[in-house]
Amino acid sequence: MGFTLWNESMKKIIIRSPNYIVMNKKFILKCLALASISFFVSCHRENPANPDDDNNTSATTHVYVAGNTGYTFNAGPAVCWEDGIQHVLDPDAFETARAACVIGNDVYYGGCNANEQPVIWKNGVAQKMSEGNGRVSGLTTAGGKLYACGTVDQKPVYWVDGQIHYLDEDPSASSDYTTTAITVSGGNIYVSGYLGNEYNSAKGAYLWKNGSLQKLSTKASKACDVCVYNNTVYVVGSESYTSGGIQKSVMWVNGAIRDIQVTTNNGLGSEASAVAIKDGKPYVVLKGFVGGAYDGYWKGFAWYNETVTALPNCSNPTDVFIHNNDVYIAGYNDSFTSYEGPVLLKNLEFVPLTNSANDGHCYSVYVK
């Protein structure tokens, strides 16, 4: 951004007074140095999944979390936590609030209403996105615009400032899609998702680029999140690795798949749920089943720089956001330990959330 401003300024100098350039070499060199610094800062986005979140060095940081207060993991009521304080978005919402985003002074959350229609809450006021059944499952911002992904009548869609666009469908599959995340990079719009829904087995992981579909796997699989950094597209999720359909955590890097190992032989299953970029490398959160079939349980992990770290009091991490080199992780704990309920971690330390004891789930976190 700084480089663009300098470049425009230089154009004005060249056009208006070419002799001024020769007479003010020191000034130009100073501009060049400042431009170089600004260009570096603007390109060093620690969370490219949220393009408008540059390295903000403001002393005030605000944390926005979307979720629910119900015992059922994906049901309403829809709530949010802003700086740890809970607010009810819709007490009658059919599903949880699933996504969060901020543009300027406006705060957005995505989900669905009591009539199972996709909505975006802007500063607490619901805006219905379609008359059909569906949900808003992902939000992001770029260039001052709000991008959302979701489903309408089981078809995959995305919205740009409220304008709906339908994503390509697999001609060999039925119309039963789940979209999971959206990001914008280099003018391109990326959406992750899969065939199937949360109530049955995932049947195929997909990535859409500007609406065009790419099938990531021919096995039962899920694509749960996407981010782009330095022209590299990272998609995380899971893929079946046994005849019984047990899933293991995987990451697709520009379409090439690799395992993300978190437990010995992947235990009885694992699933990567979200990815962000920290110091140029993917930071992935995931859940893995540890222990035996009868005494085992789900446990949350972070995978970064080929190293696995167990998450405290978090069996199901659902989202990760990097801001000013701090790592924020949203999720919930249901492992029958001392704490059950919504979880927000900052640098692996538990962050208190009001009205959350033994109830509810966090699904998305956005920091600004």
Side-chain angles (χ1 to χ4, degrees):
M1 284 180 239
F3 182 82
T4 303
L5 291 173
W6 172 81
N7 194 37
E8 292 300 317
S9 176
M10 289 300 291
K11 284 180 181 177
K12 291 177 183 177
I13 293 172
I14 292 169
I15 293 170
R16 293 180 182 178
S17 180
N19 293 330
Y20 184 82
I21 299 174
V22 177
M23 296 169 61
N24 292 274
K25 290 183 179 179
K26 290 183 179 180
F27 171 77
I28 294 170
L29 290 173
K30 184 181 291 186
C31 288
L32 182 60
L34 290 172
S36 300
I37 295 170
S38 298
F39 180 73
F40 173 77
V41 171
S42 66
C43 289
H44 189 61
R45 288 171 177 149
E46 294 182 298
N47 195 349
N50 298 277
D52 282 0
D53 180 52
D54 292 330
N55 280 352
N56 186 347
T57 57
S58 171
T60 304
T61 296
H62 298 290
V63 182
Y64 305 86
V65 179
N68 71 356
T69 58
Y71 282 102
T72 305
F73 77 97
N74 61 353
V79 304
C80 63
W81 287 269
E82 297 183 355
D83 294 335
I85 306 300
Q86 186 192 104
H87 306 275
V88 177
L89 294 167
D90 187 346
D92 301 314
F94 180 77
E95 288 189 0
T96 178
R98 294 178 174 270
C101 188
V102 180
I103 303 178
N105 294 322
D106 295 320
V107 182
Y108 299 87
Y109 296 97
C112 79
N113 60 20
N115 296 320
E116 301 182 50
Q117 297 166 316
V119 297
I120 291 176
W121 290 275
K122 178 181 179 181
N123 301 325
V125 179
Q127 300 177 339
K128 187 165 57 176
M129 307 302 289
S130 172
E131 294 295 333
N133 288 346
R135 67 165 75 107
V136 172
S137 52
L139 294 172
T140 193
T141 177
K145 294 182 178 181
L146 180 68
Y147 295 80
C149 68
T151 54
V152 173
D153 295 330
Q154 299 183 329
K155 294 181 178 294
V157 300
Y158 71 94
W159 294 267
V160 182
D161 282 344
Q163 182 66 43
I164 193 169
H165 303 267
Y166 285 84
L167 298 165
D168 286 350
E169 297 184 49
D170 189 337
S172 64
S174 61
S175 292
D176 183 14
Y177 292 86
T178 295
T179 63
T180 53
I182 184 169
T183 191
V184 180
S185 178
N188 297 309
I189 302 170
Y190 300 85
V191 178
S192 59
Y194 57 94
L195 185 67
N197 57 56
E198 294 169 320
Y199 302 102
N200 58 34
S201 299
K203 301 170 185 174
Y206 297 117
L207 173 69
W208 288 270
K209 179 180 179 181
N210 299 324
S212 298
L213 179 147
Q214 176 188 359
K215 195 168 186 177
L216 297 173
S217 173
T218 58
K219 300 179 181 179
S221 52
K222 296 171 70 174
C224 295
D225 196 15
V226 55
C227 77
V228 183
Y229 181 76
N230 279 353
N231 296 318
T232 301
V233 182
Y234 299 92
V235 180
V236 297
S238 59
E239 183 184 65
S240 173
Y241 78 104
T242 70
S243 58
I246 295 177
Q247 303 265 312
K248 63 180 178 180
S249 295
V250 295
M251 178 168 62
W252 292 271
V253 183
N254 286 339
I257 193 170
R258 62 153 298 174
D259 289 356
I260 301 178
Q261 192 86 349
V262 292
T263 58
T264 303
N265 296 324
N266 286 297
L268 291 176
S270 66
E271 179 182 303
S273 53
V275 57
I277 300 299
K278 186 176 189 298
D279 295 330
K281 299 176 182 178
Y283 190 110
V284 181
V285 294
L286 57 156
K287 66 176 182 179
F289 197 86
V290 297
Y294 299 102
D295 61 352
Y297 55 94
W298 290 103
K299 186 171 182 61
F301 298 93
W303 181 92
Y304 176 65
N305 200 23
E306 306 291 335
T307 300
V308 176
T309 303
L311 301 178
N313 288 321
C314 185
S315 60
N316 290 271
T318 55
D319 197 15
V320 58
F321 197 103
I322 314 294
H323 179 78
N324 289 344
N325 219 38
D326 291 320
V327 180
Y328 297 81
I329 297 172
Y332 54 95
N333 198 57
D334 59 1
S335 293
F336 308 105
T337 58
S338 58
Y339 172 81
E340 295 178 49
V343 173
L344 176 64
L345 302 176
K346 178 182 179 181
N347 300 327
L348 303 185
E349 295 291 332
F350 194 79
V351 178
L353 302 172
T354 65
N355 300 329
S356 62
N358 298 319
D359 200 4
H361 309 79
C362 293
Y363 278 89
S364 177
V365 56
Y366 191 97
V367 186
K368 189 169 183 177

